[in-house]
Amino acid sequence: FERVKDNGQLAIKTRWVYTEDLEQSKGCKLKSRLCMRGDREKDKDFIRADSPTAHKDTLKLVLAVAANEKFDIISGDIKSAFLQGRSLPREVFVVPPKEANEEGTLWLLKKGAYGLIDGSRMFYLELKDQLEKLGMRNVSGDPALFTMHKNQKLIGLVCVHVDDLFLAGNEEFQEI
């Protein structure tokens, strides 16, 4: 984000969201996340917010292919995913939380953030770009499924559900 002087721009508020993660090996882990009030954003009805997520049948298909091809399976979660999305195509001004002690200042967001109408879409589009740069191709029937081929042979798959990834592939795919 960029700090800008508050000149009366339309700005959305923020709020802190607190969660507890119970991990058996680590006990209780407290987490906090600053969320934007995207529901208060100007022209929110005209902001494209769809973001593909894998269908359960797609996940079953990936598991079946992985078993058939003897692929290794890895699942993972992308940390702070929405903060790693594409740059925003519009100006979004945010009132900093009171803890920031920035009276008379607004934050001009550069990228998507938690709570924005299109936060998950901005992340998905950036992830899609990065997967395609690695040589993966989007499956036409499910935009949340990507495949990688080498010498016309399938070597790996990536199934996307918001910020969770499910990967299946051979050793060569895992090195990428």
Side-chain angles (χ1 to χ4, degrees), residues 19-163:
T19 57
E20 293 180 20
D21 274 355
L22 277 174
E23 296 182 22
Q24 290 179 348
S25 63
K26 298 179 184 176
C28 184
K29 182 178 175 184
L30 299 175
K31 295 167 75 174
S32 62
R33 176 178 290 158
L34 185 64
C35 293
M36 312 302 123
R37 290 295 311 266
D39 60 317
R40 307 277 192 212
E41 197 174 344
K42 178 184 167 193
D43 297 328
K44 69 178 180 190
D45 294 333
F46 302 104
I47 298 170
R48 188 169 174 190
D50 62 305
S51 177
T53 58
H55 190 273
K56 66 180 179 180
D57 290 338
T58 300
L59 187 55
K60 289 178 185 178
L61 175 68
V62 170
L63 288 168
V65 170
N68 188 59
E69 299 294 323
K70 297 180 177 45
F71 284 167
D72 289 329
I73 297 172
I74 301 169
S75 66
D77 176 71
I78 298 179
K79 303 289 182 206
S80 304
F82 288 11
L83 306 178
Q84 299 182 52
R86 272 194 184 166
S87 296
L88 289 170
R90 65 190 180 286
E91 287 187 334
V92 177
F93 294 95
V94 174
V95 177
K98 63 183 178 202
E99 296 85 2
N101 295 321
E102 296 193 32
E103 192 81 22
T105 300
L106 296 177
W107 292 348
L108 174 59
L109 297 183
K110 299 290 186 180
K111 292 194 168 213
Y114 294 98
L116 289 183
I117 299 286
D118 57 349
S120 63
R121 179 171 177 74
M122 292 294 107
F123 169 71
Y124 168 79
L125 292 172
E126 182 63 24
L127 177 63
K128 180 179 183 282
D129 288 347
Q130 295 303 317
L131 291 174
E132 288 174 347
K133 282 180 186 174
L134 292 171
M136 302 204 74
R137 295 197 186 267
N138 213 200
V139 173
S140 62
D142 188 339
L145 178 61
F146 296 82
T147 61
M148 179 176 276
H149 294 82
K150 184 152 188 190
N151 299 324
Q152 299 182 341
K153 180 163 175 47
L154 180 68
I155 64 167
L157 303 120
V158 174
C159 193
V160 179
H161 188 82
V162 190
D163 63 347

